[in-house]
Structures are given as C-alpha cells and as structure tokens.
Amino acid sequence: MTERSAGEQKRLLLIDDDPNLILLVKDYLEFRGYEVITAENGREALEVLEDDIPDLIICDVMMPEMDGYSLVEHVRKDPRTSWIPVLFLSAKGQSQDRVKGLNTGADVYMVKPFEPEELVAQVEASLKHGERLTKRKDRGPDDGPKIHVPFDVELTPTELKVVQYVARGMANREIAEGLSVSQRTIESHVSNMLGKTGLHNRTELARWAIENSMA
C-alpha cells in the first residue's frame, strides 16, 4: 500500500466513466500541483484502493458496474479508507439528489457543469479539513482515556454522516441545514447513536468517531 508523508504531493483518485471529463479534470488538477490517478467506475476504483490510498476521492455518481453511492459505502465501511474525503460530481442537482449523496457518505456534492476553480477550492478545503482531523486524532492521548464501546456497534450510512459532522464540532442545527433535514431528525440520530454506543454525550461520541477513523 502506498503511503506518503505530509509534505509530499497530494494524490487524488478521480473516478468517472466520461473519458473527456477525466482528461480535462486530470489536466487541470495536475496543473495545480496534484498527482491524479484515475478509474472508470466504482469497481475499478476499489481495485486501485487495494494498493494505493489517496488523500481525496473525486467521484461521479452515475457509472456502470458500480455507481458512486455503492463505492462510497464500501469506502466508509473499510477502516483503511473510511477517513478519506469524498467529493461527488453529478449531473443531478435536485435537493433530494444532494441529500442522498451526503447521506451516503460524501463530504461535498458538486453539480455538473462546474467551474474548475470551484472544484480546486473544494478539493483544497476538503484536504485541509482532513489534515485538521488527523492532527486532532493524533492528540488523542492528551484528551483522556480511549473511548470504549461494544465491538459490534453498527451505524447506518446516515448515522455515520451525522457522527462525522459531530466530530467536526458542528451543532445539531448546522448539521440539519447541511443535510436538509429537521433539527429534530438530527437529535434523533444522535440519541440513537448514544444508545447504541453506551456513550454519555456528543463530546464522547465525537472522540469515539475520531479515534476509530470514522471522521
């Protein structure tokens, strides 16, 4: 498995079944200093991830063999890849499409066509956020004893997305706005996760998510 130090060139995995888009986006990102590896669909991307862990995944939603939703579910379930920021690209721009993408586990949802500069800005913001989470996780021993929960706890894709936002320090109201649902819905998800894990509050929930590479 390929690993790089923090100071090395950032590597991005770009997944799309449109060769013209692959070419254009790859060239633009490489011009901005990124290393870009590519795949034509989700199944091919999983093969890439067996040997190479990128710093960020940029993924089309509608693809043959395995679509973006299925790919992200695989990525989030694997501890090796669960931390990787995922940026969805999609021609579907309706609110329900964005909500589905975010609930599935994507961090950013961009609608085609998009401005290249906006894509670069989203990539840079996602990478910086990932670095902040990594630094916060590395400080775990200074924050108190490791959080312990039952080994067989399973979160739904929506709960996983919510706990990632909780780990970022976002309030229920902010999470609700980000996912386009009611605050009561988010409160229900948080309550369910506290019940599943046996944890006492959002702070412990956030620490558990970070220590277990879910955020």
Side-chain angles (χ1 to χ4, degrees):
M1 182 173 63
T2 303
E3 295 182 354
R4 298 171 304 288
S5 65
E8 292 183 349
Q9 185 181 35
K10 296 296 184 182
R11 181 175 296 172
L12 315 179
L13 173 57
L14 174 62
I15 312 159
D16 201 295
D17 61 330
D18 182 347
N20 292 324
L21 185 142
I22 284 278
L23 181 63
L24 290 172
V25 174
K26 184 175 186 291
D27 284 350
Y28 195 85
L29 291 171
E30 287 180 340
F31 177 75
R32 296 299 295 262
Y34 296 103
E35 180 180 355
V36 182
I37 51 180
T38 64
E40 293 183 357
N41 57 62
R43 196 163 302 283
E44 184 177 321
L46 289 180
E47 295 176 1
V48 172
L49 291 171
E50 286 295 322
D51 301 313
D52 198 347
I53 301 298
D55 297 288
L56 181 140
I57 294 172
I58 302 173
C59 182
D60 187 20
V61 173
M62 305 307 295
M63 297 180 293
E65 294 193 42
M66 179 183 288
D67 63 17
Y69 300 128
S70 299
L71 172 65
V72 171
E73 289 178 353
H74 278 83
V75 167
R76 293 292 177 241
K77 290 178 181 178
D78 188 341
R80 296 168 52 254
T81 58
S82 61
W83 58 272
I84 301 176
V86 176
L87 192 158
F88 263 165
L89 301 177
S90 176
K92 295 185 175 182
Q94 299 296 317
S95 175
Q96 61 266 30
D97 298 315
R98 295 175 183 269
V99 170
K100 181 178 180 180
L102 294 172
N103 284 347
T104 302
D107 297 278
V108 178
Y109 190 103
M110 292 186 63
V111 179
K112 302 176 183 178
F114 51 84
E115 292 294 331
E117 285 297 329
E118 181 185 0
L119 175 62
V120 171
Q122 293 284 11
V123 166
E124 292 177 349
S126 296
L127 289 171
K128 288 177 181 177
H129 175 67
E131 290 174 357
R132 288 196 299 270
L133 285 179
T134 300
K135 291 177 181 177
R136 182 176 176 183
K137 182 176 67 174
D138 291 342
R139 295 201 307 268
D142 298 329
D143 296 333
K146 186 176 179 67
I147 294 289
H148 294 285
V149 302
F151 71 93
D152 58 348
V153 169
E154 292 187 6
L155 301 183
T156 67
T158 301
E159 288 173 342
L160 182 58
K161 187 65 185 178
V162 171
V163 82
Q164 289 170 344
Y165 280 125
V166 170
R168 298 177 191 179
M170 295 175 64
N172 288 345
R173 176 183 55 78
E174 295 174 305
I175 300 173
E177 292 174 355
L179 297 180
S180 299
V181 298
S182 70
Q183 183 172 329
R184 186 179 297 273
T185 297
I186 300 303
E187 292 170 352
S188 177
H189 285 308
V190 171
S191 177
N192 288 341
M193 286 188 286
L194 291 176
K196 287 182 177 181
T197 59
L199 299 175
H200 300 92
N201 51 52
R202 288 168 54 91
T203 301
E204 290 187 353
L205 194 63
R207 281 187 52 205
W208 173 64
I210 293 170
E211 290 174 358
N212 289 275
S213 302
M214 288 182 287

